Amino acid sequence: MDCGDKQAGGGFGVVEETVLTGRGGDDSGENNGPATSRLREDVARRSEVAQCHRTDADLREQIDAQRDGKVKLRLLPEIFLCQQHLRDETHAHQAMVHELIHAIDLCRTKMDPLNNCMHMACTEIRAENLSGECAWTKELSAGRIKQFTGHGAECVKRRAALSLQA
């Protein structure tokens, strides 16, 4: 997903959209009316955009279409890394570990991060906490440590909030 200045190294889950037949906004109730055709074109256009180039607007369109009862969204368990946003091999490893934690969360629980913000927050907190992205050496070199006690929790909270905003 393209996060503007907040460059994501990767992500977990590809959002699959399925058009719900007979609910394309047509008053006629037909599956092949003009509104359904436009909806199918919109879904096809969004599916052609590579994951690393997705924007917030793309995801909002999908969520709005689901809320309107036009499509069904499903999170496919796939990990992707965006090479244009990865600084080096270490960053790639950290991004992979982070995304694998999301994969484990999704596979071992019945979470629905697309429709439940608490599930999304929980998996982000776990991924930030367990992936080593808040290691005190990394935070110290970045000049983010003001006090040693409690800094890990502050870092996890800050990074999880940034992930949720993206």
Side-chain angles (χ1 to χ4, degrees):
M1 181 170 291
D2 182 0
C3 302
D5 293 338
K6 301 177 203 98
Q7 297 177 345
F12 175 76
V14 175
V15 178
E16 178 188 65
E17 248 179 312
T18 305
V19 175
L20 298 175
T21 57
R23 296 179 184 169
D26 260 349
D27 292 334
S28 64
E30 296 179 16
N31 294 341
N32 295 323
T36 302
S37 296
R38 275 193 306 276
L39 179 61
R40 289 184 197 281
E41 289 170 9
D42 289 345
V43 168
R45 177 186 49 79
R46 285 192 293 263
S47 70
E48 291 173 1
V49 177
Q51 288 299 309
C52 292
H53 299 289
R54 304 287 311 269
T55 64
D56 289 343
D58 293 327
L59 187 57
R60 284 194 183 105
E61 280 182 46
Q62 289 177 311
I63 291 170
D64 289 344
Q66 177 176 288
R67 193 173 294 131
D68 294 341
K70 297 176 181 177
V71 299
K72 181 179 183 200
L73 299 180
R74 181 171 81 116
L75 193 62
L76 300 176
E78 296 180 19
I79 293 175
F80 60 91
L81 297 179
C82 303
Q83 70 181 26
Q84 72 269 29
H85 299 310
L86 296 172
R87 294 181 300 274
D88 54 24
E89 187 175 352
T90 302
H91 187 211
H93 289 177
Q94 286 178 337
M96 181 62 83
V97 168
H98 180 103
E99 301 311 330
L100 283 169
I101 292 167
H102 289 314
I104 290 167
D105 286 349
L106 191 64
C107 291
R108 74 178 182 83
T109 65
K110 294 182 181 180
M111 64 180 257
D112 182 12
L114 286 177
N115 299 306
N116 190 323
C117 293
M118 294 299 283
H119 291 176
M120 179 65 85
C122 181
T123 190
E124 279 302 333
I125 290 167
R126 281 179 39 77
E128 298 297 347
N129 198 27
L130 297 173
S131 66
E133 292 170 304
C134 287
W136 70 271
T137 52
K138 182 179 174 186
E139 291 292 294
L140 184 63
S141 67
R144 292 191 194 103
I145 293 184
K146 295 178 182 133
Q147 61 183 23
F148 283 104
T149 57
H151 178 74
E154 288 177 24
C155 176
V156 167
K157 182 178 179 181
R158 175 179 49 82
R159 290 184 58 91
L162 286 172
S163 290
L164 291 172
Q165 289 171 358

